[in-house]
Amino acid sequence: MDKVYKHKDVEEKIYKSWEEKGFFRPEVNPKGKPFSIILPPPNANAPLHFGHAMYVIEDILIRYHRMKGDKTLWLPGADHAGFETQFVFEKKLQGEGKSRFDFDRETLYKMIWDFVSENRPVMEGQLRRLGFSLDWGRKKFTLDPDIVKIVYRTFKKLYDDGLVYRAERLVNYCTYDGTSFSDLEVLYEERKDPLYYIKYGPLVLATTRPETKFGDTAVAVHPDDKRYQKYIDKEIEIETVLGKAKIKVIADDFVDMEFGTGVVKITPAHDFDDNEVASRHNLPLKQVIGFDGKMNEKAGKFEGLYVKQARKAVVEEMQNKGLLEKVDENYTHRIGLCYKCKNPIEPLPLEQWFVKTGELAKPAISAVKKGLPAGRQGKIKIYPKNFEKIYFDFLENIRDWNISRQIVWGIRVPAYKCRNPKSEIRNPKSKNEWFISEIKPEKCEVCGECDFEQDPDTFDTWFSSGQWPFATLQTNKEGDFKTFYPTSVMETGYDILRWWVARMVMLGIYETGKIPFVNILLHGLVNDPLGKKMSKSKGNAVNPLELVDQYGADAVRFALVYGTATGNDQSLSYPKLQSMRNFTNKLWNIGRFLQLQLDSGLFKDIKPAEGKREPEKYKEMVESVDNLSKKVSESLDQYRFHDAANELYEFIWHVFADKYIEELKEPLKDGEIEALAAFIYVWETSLKLLHPFMPFITEELWRKIPEAEGDLIVSKWPSFAKASEGKPL
RNA sequence: GGACGAUUAGCUCAGUUGGUAGAGCGUCGCAUUUACACUGCGAAUGUCGGGGGUUCGAGCCCCUCAUCGUCCACCA
């Protein structure tokens, strides 16, 4: 054996041997009780980033339960990541001087498909490099035909249950990317813009968006505002850049009397707040900006101008006509930006598919809530507990979920529109011109004869990934769903608790009648060494594989759980990685020391019998490692990974290596069999306990112990009966 | 504006139900060709962010303030 541990000689070889022997499959423990985790599917469009290395927590749990004899499944997969992927691909096209508008829908889809197909194996290779014991035979992709079928089934069911509706609603629309975004996806930024004070007949109001005035359907004041009482509920005559007009004055307490003049123009088609005011007062929507970002015919002579140009032109015109009272140039406010291209989001009315979330949220809330009547008690536990509050906040204030996306890359909505203008007469039963079909329909289900067309939109990525636990298990090996659903743990970053986890609970309960998982475990983010969030655009992203090359997978894995409480953020630390690498070297040299004893010739024909493996003479060592087994097991059961890691590190290095081995050196020189037996007992136990954290080196060292049988990955987890003997728990 | 988290040794962070502060790295001293220098032994270092309260006793519980971070909601 070398003096120094060389991870590159070990890792690939060991992983391959595990995979070939089928140890990652639950079938290795056919009689065990089920334990399952579905891997949060990484985006198929890009190599792994550092956050993915946190999957190590799942691997620790999986390996622990596998060794405990559970029928253990860790199911891998990949997410098509609709918009993310299309954006990355668009960038690639840009680099080639092209854009997505150069291709038709089918060609574009095929191109992205090929692009993703190239990336997926890369990503899977990376997961292997980190040692993750995933059952590759069960891997799924969100665009697999059988997954799509399930997504269609759920959509149809929601529709038939009246939980899906189509409505013209304001959406966050990016006229540059040509797509709408959910509220969660919009980025807000502080900007300085002019605030224009415009004369509206007898009133003056302040606005940052004079170009939307053509879409005004009312002017609002606060009901208690003494200045404007006489105008409330009256129509006022106003002079505009397009001539005289009449507009209604309404009272609504959303108006801030202190702001500007205390008068607000209401533009329901282009502002979210105005839209809500409009729905309270039954005001009509008047769209003046098109989806191309240009003013439409309702803007009169400003038609065809882009919003920015129109604003300038309208302001100029108002100035000329004396309609502009003053301009506050130093007004700062927050505006919504497209989180990808950073252009301003334009609220626009668009027909969308929405899911009514109110009824879906209720069981998702009670699934976690404690203190409910018997039978409705929370069955899902969230760790760390403080994230419960975020979960409840989201679900208790949930808004309906817009699940349509105007992009090509994704699961196309299986909704079809009748094109027969008389369809409603022909079929009075149909609520509208749409029908939903899980399979490509032969004929129009509304009128029965027209040349119907499919909705061009695709589903929000979270709509499909929100069904991931049951979708992956229902489309896998026979019986998987029955055996492994609900899964034992859903482990992911806390940043997607609402986007993903809460939605999985809603859709899981809705579709299967059961919770999708029993425990929710959330880990923190990994920041750069200076504590800043890693991101590609900032250039501070670290590729986890580079660190694996440098320090070894085991050291990287251990560094991620050591010294940081579960759920807390951590900063990448090179000194920490180095000391964890040193720890692997310490392990290696313990193994090397044992090898030297075995090679000494003193223990040639000796095979310590079972009874001798826990020698009375070294009772303290045996008890102390048994006590370690107890502590590590308890820590893992409570998801206290940092405690377990700390115990292991302390014991193996500073107790076993520094103390026990020194004490055993002399007896070993004398060829004392009990000393060897004690050494091996403590060593074997230590390797087992450490294996979930550092799988590669422990397996390699295990195979060097002469009487160690089989592979460490499937060896029996140490019991700790002796440790608790005589000691109160 | 709201919520959550953080604030503990020079740095990075632990500290589970309240019982006179811990680790890793770093620093300083000593040892040594030793299974391992990616080593061993030893040492120093903290009014636990500020203030107030509960308690026999608070890093931990309560109130308040400050700074940083994250998420959510967003006033034209």
Side-chain angles (χ1 to χ4, degrees), chain A residues 376-429:
Chain A
R376 294 192 52 220
Q377 275 289 353
K379 287 175 189 157
I380 302 180
K381 287 203 173 90
I382 299 183
Y383 301 89
K385 202 169 172 288
N386 45 290
F387 289 112
E388 274 180 11
K389 192 158 181 169
I390 294 175
Y391 179 86
F392 290 134
D393 276 355
F394 175 67
L395 290 174
E396 282 163 4
N397 304 306
I398 197 162
R399 291 185 168 204
D400 282 356
W401 180 13
N402 169 207
I403 54 168
S404 313
R405 288 299 118 100
Q406 291 70 50
I407 54 172
V408 165
W409 181 245
I411 300 174
R412 192 158 174 187
V413 179
Y416 302 86
K417 192 178 186 178
C418 174
R419 296 171 84 181
N420 189 333
K422 291 181 183 168
S423 64
E424 275 164 77
I425 302 163
R426 286 169 191 269
N427 187 354
K429 270 189 187 172

Coordinates of all heavy atoms in Angstrom, one line a residue, chain A residues 376-429:
Chain A
R376 N -57.2 13.5 11.1 CA -56.7 14.5 10.1 C -55.4 15.1 10.6 O -55.0 16.1 10.1 CB -57.8 15.6 10.0 CG -59.1 15.1 9.4 CD -60.0 16.3 9.0 NE -59.3 17.3 8.2 CZ -59.4 18.6 8.3 NH1 -60.2 19.0 9.3 NH2 -58.8 19.4 7.6
Q377 N -54.8 14.4 11.5 CA -53.5 14.8 12.0 C -52.5 14.9 10.9 O -52.5 14.1 10.0 CB -53.0 13.8 13.1 CG -53.5 14.0 14.5 CD -52.9 15.3 15.1 OE1 -52.0 15.9 14.6 NE2 -53.5 15.6 16.3
G378 N -51.5 15.8 11.1 CA -50.5 15.9 10.1 C -49.6 14.6 10.0 O -49.3 14.1 11.1
K379 N -49.4 14.2 8.8 CA -48.6 13.0 8.6 C -47.3 13.3 8.1 O -46.4 12.5 8.1 CB -49.4 12.0 7.7 CG -50.6 11.4 8.3 CD -51.3 10.6 7.2 CE -52.6 10.1 7.7 NZ -53.6 9.8 6.6
I380 N -47.1 14.5 7.6 CA -45.8 14.9 7.0 C -45.1 15.7 8.1 O -45.7 16.6 8.7 CB -46.0 15.7 5.7 CG1 -46.8 14.9 4.7 CG2 -44.7 16.1 5.2 CD1 -47.0 15.6 3.4
K381 N -43.8 15.4 8.2 CA -43.0 16.2 9.1 C -42.0 17.0 8.3 O -41.4 16.5 7.4 CB -42.3 15.3 10.1 CG -43.2 14.7 11.2 CD -42.4 14.3 12.4 CE -43.2 13.9 13.6 NZ -43.5 12.4 13.5
I382 N -41.7 18.2 8.7 CA -40.7 19.1 8.0 C -39.5 19.3 8.9 O -39.7 19.7 10.1 CB -41.4 20.4 7.6 CG1 -42.5 20.2 6.7 CG2 -40.3 21.3 7.0 CD1 -43.2 21.5 6.1
Y383 N -38.4 19.0 8.4 CA -37.1 19.3 9.1 C -36.2 20.2 8.3 O -36.1 20.0 7.1 CB -36.3 17.9 9.3 CG -37.0 16.9 10.1 CD1 -37.8 16.0 9.4 CD2 -36.9 16.8 11.5 CE1 -38.5 15.0 10.1 CE2 -37.6 15.8 12.1 CZ -38.4 14.9 11.5 OH -39.1 13.9 12.1
P384 N -35.6 21.2 8.9 CA -35.8 21.6 10.3 C -37.1 22.3 10.4 O -37.7 22.8 9.5 CB -34.7 22.7 10.5 CG -33.7 22.4 9.4 CD -34.5 21.9 8.3
K385 N -37.6 22.2 11.6 CA -39.0 22.6 11.9 C -39.4 24.0 11.5 O -40.5 24.3 11.1 CB -39.3 22.4 13.4 CG -40.7 22.3 13.8 CD -40.8 21.9 15.3 CE -42.2 21.8 15.8 NZ -42.7 23.2 16.0
N386 N -38.4 24.9 11.6 CA -38.8 26.3 11.3 C -39.3 26.6 9.9 O -39.8 27.6 9.6 CB -37.6 27.3 11.6 CG -36.3 26.7 11.1 OD1 -35.8 25.7 11.6 ND2 -35.8 27.4 10.1
F387 N -39.0 25.6 9.0 CA -39.5 25.8 7.6 C -41.0 25.6 7.5 O -41.6 25.9 6.4 CB -38.7 25.0 6.6 CG -37.3 25.4 6.4 CD1 -36.2 24.7 6.9 CD2 -37.1 26.6 5.8 CE1 -34.9 25.1 6.7 CE2 -35.7 27.1 5.6 CZ -34.7 26.3 6.0
E388 N -41.6 25.0 8.5 CA -43.1 24.8 8.5 C -43.8 26.1 8.2 O -44.8 26.1 7.5 CB -43.5 24.3 9.9 CG -43.4 22.8 10.0 CD -43.9 22.3 11.4 OE1 -44.5 23.1 12.1 OE2 -43.7 21.1 11.7
K389 N -43.3 27.1 8.8 CA -44.0 28.4 8.7 C -44.0 28.9 7.3 O -45.0 29.4 6.8 CB -43.3 29.4 9.6 CG -44.1 30.6 9.8 CD -43.7 31.4 11.1 CE -44.7 32.6 11.1 NZ -44.6 33.3 12.3
I390 N -42.9 28.7 6.6 CA -42.9 29.2 5.2 C -43.9 28.4 4.4 O -44.6 28.9 3.5 CB -41.4 29.0 4.7 CG1 -40.5 30.0 5.4 CG2 -41.4 29.2 3.2 CD1 -39.1 29.9 5.1
Y391 N -43.9 27.1 4.7 CA -44.8 26.2 4.0 C -46.3 26.6 4.2 O -47.0 26.8 3.2 CB -44.6 24.8 4.5 CG -45.5 23.7 4.0 CD1 -45.1 23.0 2.8 CD2 -46.7 23.3 4.6 CE1 -45.9 22.0 2.3 CE2 -47.5 22.3 4.1 CZ -47.1 21.7 2.9 OH -47.9 20.7 2.4
F392 N -46.6 26.9 5.4 CA -48.0 27.3 5.7 C -48.3 28.7 5.1 O -49.4 28.9 4.6 CB -48.3 27.3 7.2 CG -48.3 26.0 7.8 CD1 -47.6 25.7 9.0 CD2 -49.0 25.0 7.3 CE1 -47.7 24.4 9.6 CE2 -49.1 23.7 7.8 CZ -48.4 23.4 9.0
D393 N -47.4 29.6 5.2 CA -47.6 30.9 4.6 C -48.0 30.8 3.2 O -48.9 31.5 2.7 CB -46.4 31.8 4.8 CG -46.3 32.4 6.1 OD1 -47.2 32.3 6.9 OD2 -45.3 33.1 6.4
F394 N -47.2 30.0 2.5 CA -47.5 29.9 1.0 C -48.9 29.3 0.8 O -49.6 29.8 0.0 CB -46.4 28.9 0.4 CG -46.6 28.6 -1.0 CD1 -46.5 29.6 -2.0 CD2 -46.9 27.3 -1.4 CE1 -46.7 29.3 -3.3 CE2 -47.1 27.1 -2.8 CZ -47.1 28.1 -3.7
L395 N -49.2 28.2 1.4 CA -50.4 27.5 1.1 C -51.7 28.2 1.6 O -52.7 28.2 1.0 CB -50.4 26.1 1.7 CG -49.4 25.1 1.0 CD1 -49.4 23.8 1.7 CD2 -49.8 24.9 -0.5
E396 N -51.5 28.9 2.7 CA -52.7 29.6 3.3 C -53.0 30.9 2.5 O -54.1 31.4 2.6 CB -52.4 30.0 4.8 CG -52.7 28.7 5.7 CD -52.1 28.8 7.0 OE1 -51.5 29.9 7.4 OE2 -52.1 27.8 7.8
N397 N -52.0 31.4 1.8 CA -52.3 32.6 1.0 C -52.1 32.4 -0.5 O -51.8 33.3 -1.3 CB -51.3 33.8 1.4 CG -51.4 34.1 2.9 OD1 -52.5 34.3 3.4 ND2 -50.3 34.0 3.6
I398 N -52.4 31.1 -0.9 CA -52.1 30.7 -2.2 C -53.0 31.4 -3.2 O -54.2 31.6 -2.9 CB -52.1 29.2 -2.3 CG1 -51.4 28.7 -3.6 CG2 -53.6 28.7 -2.3 CD1 -51.0 27.3 -3.6
R399 N -52.5 31.7 -4.4 CA -53.3 32.2 -5.5 C -53.4 31.1 -6.5 O -52.6 30.2 -6.6 CB -52.6 33.4 -6.1 CG -52.6 34.6 -5.2 CD -52.0 35.8 -6.0 NE -52.2 37.0 -5.3 CZ -52.2 38.2 -5.9 NH1 -52.0 38.3 -7.2 NH2 -52.4 39.3 -5.2
D400 N -54.4 31.3 -7.4 CA -54.5 30.3 -8.5 C -53.2 30.2 -9.3 O -52.5 31.2 -9.5 CB -55.7 30.6 -9.3 CG -57.0 30.2 -8.6 OD1 -56.9 29.6 -7.5 OD2 -58.1 30.5 -9.1
W401 N -53.0 29.1 -9.8 CA -51.7 28.8 -10.4 C -51.8 28.8 -11.9 O -52.6 28.0 -12.5 CB -51.3 27.4 -9.9 CG -50.0 26.9 -10.4 CD1 -49.0 27.5 -11.0 CD2 -49.5 25.5 -10.2 NE1 -47.9 26.7 -11.3 CE2 -48.2 25.5 -10.8 CE3 -50.0 24.4 -9.6 CZ2 -47.5 24.3 -10.8 CZ3 -49.3 23.2 -9.5 CH2 -48.0 23.2 -10.1
N402 N -51.1 29.7 -12.5 CA -51.1 29.7 -14.0 C -50.1 28.7 -14.5 O -48.9 28.8 -14.3 CB -50.6 31.2 -14.4 CG -50.3 31.3 -15.9 OD1 -49.5 32.1 -16.3 ND2 -50.9 30.4 -16.7
I403 N -50.6 27.7 -15.2 CA -49.8 26.6 -15.6 C -49.4 26.6 -17.1 O -48.8 25.6 -17.6 CB -50.4 25.2 -15.2 CG1 -51.8 25.1 -15.8 CG2 -50.4 25.0 -13.7 CD1 -52.3 23.7 -15.7
S404 N -49.8 27.6 -17.8 CA -49.5 27.7 -19.3 C -48.2 28.5 -19.5 O -47.9 29.4 -18.8 CB -50.5 28.4 -20.1 OG -51.8 28.0 -19.7
R405 N -47.4 28.0 -20.4 CA -46.2 28.7 -20.7 C -46.1 28.8 -22.3 O -46.4 27.9 -23.0 CB -44.9 28.0 -20.3 CG -44.7 28.0 -18.8 CD -44.5 29.4 -18.2 NE -45.5 29.7 -17.3 CZ -45.3 29.6 -16.0 NH1 -44.2 29.3 -15.5 NH2 -46.4 29.9 -15.2
Q406 N -45.7 30.0 -22.7 CA -45.7 30.2 -24.2 C -44.3 29.8 -24.7 O -43.6 30.6 -25.4 CB -46.0 31.7 -24.5 CG -47.5 32.0 -24.2 CD -47.8 32.1 -22.8 OE1 -47.1 32.7 -22.0 NE2 -48.8 31.3 -22.4
I407 N -43.9 28.6 -24.5 CA -42.6 28.1 -25.0 C -42.9 26.8 -25.7 O -43.9 26.1 -25.4 CB -41.5 28.0 -23.9 CG1 -42.0 27.2 -22.8 CG2 -41.1 29.4 -23.5 CD1 -40.9 26.9 -21.8
V408 N -41.9 26.4 -26.4 CA -42.0 25.1 -27.2 C -41.5 23.9 -26.3 O -42.1 22.9 -26.4 CB -41.1 25.2 -28.5 CG1 -40.9 23.9 -29.1 CG2 -41.8 26.2 -29.4
W409 N -40.4 24.2 -25.6 CA -39.8 23.1 -24.9 C -40.6 22.8 -23.6 O -40.5 23.5 -22.6 CB -38.3 23.5 -24.5 CG -37.6 22.4 -23.8 CD1 -37.1 22.4 -22.5 CD2 -37.3 21.1 -24.3 NE1 -36.5 21.3 -22.2 CE2 -36.6 20.4 -23.3 CE3 -37.5 20.5 -25.6 CZ2 -36.1 19.1 -23.5 CZ3 -37.0 19.2 -25.7 CH2 -36.3 18.5 -24.7
G410 N -41.3 21.7 -23.7 CA -42.1 21.3 -22.5 C -43.1 20.3 -22.9 O -43.2 19.8 -24.1
I411 N -44.0 20.0 -22.0 CA -45.1 19.1 -22.3 C -46.3 20.0 -22.8 O -46.8 20.8 -22.2 CB -45.6 18.4 -21.0 CG1 -44.4 17.5 -20.5 CG2 -46.8 17.5 -21.3 CD1 -44.6 16.9 -19.2
R412 N -46.7 19.7 -24.1 CA -47.7 20.5 -24.7 C -49.0 20.3 -24.0 O -49.4 19.1 -23.8 CB -47.8 20.2 -26.2 CG -48.6 21.2 -26.9 CD -48.3 21.3 -28.4 NE -49.2 22.2 -29.1 CZ -49.2 22.3 -30.4 NH1 -48.3 21.6 -31.1 NH2 -50.0 23.1 -31.0
V413 N -49.8 21.4 -23.8 CA -51.1 21.2 -23.1 C -52.0 20.4 -24.0 O -52.2 20.8 -25.2 CB -51.7 22.6 -22.9 CG1 -53.0 22.5 -22.2 CG2 -50.7 23.4 -22.0
P414 N -52.6 19.4 -23.5 CA -53.5 18.6 -24.4 C -54.9 19.1 -24.5 O -55.9 18.5 -24.2 CB -53.5 17.2 -23.6 CG -53.4 17.6 -22.2 CD -52.5 18.9 -22.1
A415 N -55.0 20.4 -24.8 CA -56.3 21.1 -24.9 C -56.5 21.5 -26.4 O -55.5 21.9 -27.0 CB -56.3 22.3 -24.0
Y416 N -57.7 21.3 -26.9 CA -57.9 21.5 -28.3 C -59.1 22.4 -28.4 O -60.1 22.4 -27.6 CB -58.3 20.1 -29.0 CG -57.1 19.2 -28.8 CD1 -57.0 18.4 -27.7 CD2 -56.1 19.1 -29.8 CE1 -55.9 17.5 -27.5 CE2 -55.0 18.2 -29.6 CZ -55.0 17.4 -28.5 OH -53.9 16.6 -28.3
K417 N -59.0 23.3 -29.4 CA -60.0 24.3 -29.6 C -60.8 24.1 -30.8 O -60.3 23.9 -31.9 CB -59.3 25.7 -29.7 CG -60.2 26.9 -29.6 CD -59.3 28.1 -29.7 CE -60.1 29.4 -29.5 NZ -59.3 30.6 -29.5
C418 N -62.1 24.1 -30.6 CA -63.0 23.9 -31.8 C -63.0 25.1 -32.6 O -63.0 26.3 -32.1 CB -64.4 23.7 -31.2 SG -65.7 23.6 -32.6
R419 N -62.9 24.9 -33.9 CA -62.8 26.1 -34.8 C -64.1 26.4 -35.5 O -64.2 27.3 -36.4 CB -61.7 25.9 -35.8 CG -60.3 25.8 -35.1 CD -59.3 25.4 -36.1 NE -58.7 26.6 -36.8 CZ -57.8 26.4 -37.7 NH1 -57.3 25.2 -38.0 NH2 -57.4 27.5 -38.4
N420 N -65.1 25.6 -35.2 CA -66.4 25.8 -35.8 C -67.1 27.0 -35.1 O -67.4 26.9 -33.9 CB -67.2 24.5 -35.7 CG -68.5 24.6 -36.5 OD1 -69.0 25.7 -36.7 ND2 -69.0 23.4 -36.9
P421 N -67.4 28.0 -35.8 CA -68.1 29.2 -35.1 C -69.4 28.8 -34.5 O -69.9 29.5 -33.7 CB -68.2 30.2 -36.3 CG -68.1 29.5 -37.5 CD -67.2 28.2 -37.3
K422 N -70.0 27.7 -35.0 CA -71.4 27.4 -34.5 C -71.4 26.3 -33.5 O -72.4 25.7 -33.1 CB -72.3 27.0 -35.7 CG -72.6 28.1 -36.6 CD -73.5 27.6 -37.7 CE -73.8 28.7 -38.7 NZ -74.4 28.1 -39.9
S423 N -70.2 26.0 -33.0 CA -70.0 24.8 -32.1 C -70.9 24.9 -30.9 O -71.5 23.9 -30.4 CB -68.6 24.6 -31.6 OG -68.2 25.7 -30.9
E424 N -71.1 26.1 -30.3 CA -71.9 26.2 -29.1 C -73.4 25.8 -29.4 O -74.1 25.3 -28.5 CB -71.7 27.5 -28.5 CG -70.5 27.6 -27.6 CD -70.1 29.0 -27.2 OE1 -70.8 29.6 -26.4 OE2 -69.1 29.5 -27.9
I425 N -73.8 26.2 -30.6 CA -75.2 25.9 -30.9 C -75.3 24.3 -31.1 O -76.3 23.7 -30.7 CB -75.6 26.6 -32.2 CG1 -75.4 28.1 -32.0 CG2 -77.0 26.3 -32.6 CD1 -75.3 28.9 -33.3
R426 N -74.3 23.8 -31.8 CA -74.4 22.3 -32.1 C -74.3 21.5 -30.8 O -74.9 20.5 -30.7 CB -73.2 21.9 -32.9 CG -73.4 22.3 -34.4 CD -72.1 22.1 -35.1 NE -72.1 22.7 -36.4 CZ -72.5 22.1 -37.5 NH1 -72.9 20.9 -37.4 NH2 -72.5 22.8 -38.6
N427 N -73.5 22.0 -29.8 CA -73.3 21.2 -28.6 C -73.5 22.1 -27.4 O -72.6 22.7 -26.9 CB -71.9 20.6 -28.6 CG -71.8 19.7 -27.4 OD1 -72.7 19.6 -26.6 ND2 -70.6 19.0 -27.3
P428 N -74.8 22.3 -27.0 CA -75.1 23.3 -25.9 C -74.5 22.8 -24.6 O -74.3 23.6 -23.7 CB -76.6 23.3 -25.9 CG -77.0 22.0 -26.5 CD -76.0 21.7 -27.5
K429 N -74.1 21.6 -24.5 CA -73.6 21.1 -23.2 C -72.2 21.6 -23.0 O -71.8 21.8 -21.8 CB -73.5 19.5 -23.2 CG -74.7 18.9 -22.7 CD -74.5 17.4 -22.6 CE -75.7 16.6 -22.2 NZ -75.5 15.2 -22.3

